[in-house]
Amino acid sequence: SDATLNPGGIRIGTAEIYRIVESMDEIADSIVIGQKFNSDIRIILFVVLTEIYNFDKQLEKKIKIKIRSAASPRHVPNCIYKVKEIPRTISGKKVEIAVTKISNGEKVKNKDVLLNPGSLTEYEKFFKKNKIK
């Protein structure tokens, strides 16, 4: 993935976060977005866990510590949530832009390019329910 996050004016490549998080035994897949928040961007990380692990405060803390130590404090997500599936294009790329749009209350128009368009429903329900806009 080649998307860039820009919290506080600091450029962060999403691949930097994926490299760290997806090296963890607990994490099967992940997607990270930058959501508009208080005139800035906040980093939100969604993770798909490997079957034998549960998402709890301890794992959330472990992920944040790992990112902080392997990258920088600026790379640490503001929020981390568990999801069932990461949306991808037919060619297998993560669809950060679609999840970002959903997080900001925007519509995703071209779902035909997605391998798993139904996966976006989880994010739509999540942001509607949690109102973290």
Side-chain angles (χ1 to χ4, degrees):
S1 175
D2 54 4
T4 303
L5 305 172
N6 201 5
I10 305 295
R11 293 176 53 87
I12 296 172
T14 56
E16 297 173 67
I17 295 172
Y18 296 140
R19 178 182 48 80
I20 298 163
V21 172
E22 293 175 12
S23 72
M24 298 175 68
D25 292 338
E26 298 91 340
I27 310 300
D29 203 358
S30 66
I31 192 164
V32 65
I33 64 161
Q35 181 192 42
K36 295 175 188 172
F37 186 74
N38 290 342
S39 302
D40 198 0
I41 298 293
R42 69 174 167 184
I43 299 173
I44 301 177
L45 174 65
F46 293 95
V47 295
V48 176
L49 301 181
T50 54
E51 289 183 20
I52 62 170
Y53 294 98
N54 293 315
F55 188 77
D56 56 19
K57 291 289 181 189
Q58 185 177 345
L59 178 56
E60 180 179 11
K61 185 176 179 181
K62 181 178 178 181
I63 292 168
K64 288 182 176 187
I65 290 169
K66 181 124 177 145
I67 293 170
R68 181 183 302 270
S69 64
S72 79
R74 285 291 202 172
H75 288 76
V76 177
N78 300 87
C79 312
I80 304 174
Y81 301 101
K82 177 187 161 220
V83 290
K84 294 177 184 168
E85 190 176 10
I86 302 301
R88 294 186 178 275
T89 64
I90 293 168
S91 63
K93 287 188 174 186
K94 297 178 191 215
V95 188
E96 296 153 338
I97 292 172
V99 178
T100 301
K101 283 184 180 225
I102 292 168
S103 79
N104 291 316
E106 301 170 28
K107 295 282 184 200
V108 178
K109 294 179 181 169
N110 193 2
K111 294 181 181 180
D112 294 342
V113 300
L114 298 181
L115 177 67
N116 53 350
S119 65
L120 294 179
T121 304
E122 181 177 13
Y123 297 88
E124 290 165 351
K125 287 179 181 178
F126 174 83
F127 283 104
K128 186 176 182 178
K129 178 183 174 188
N130 292 291
K131 303 200 188 298
I132 58 170
K133 292 189 0 169

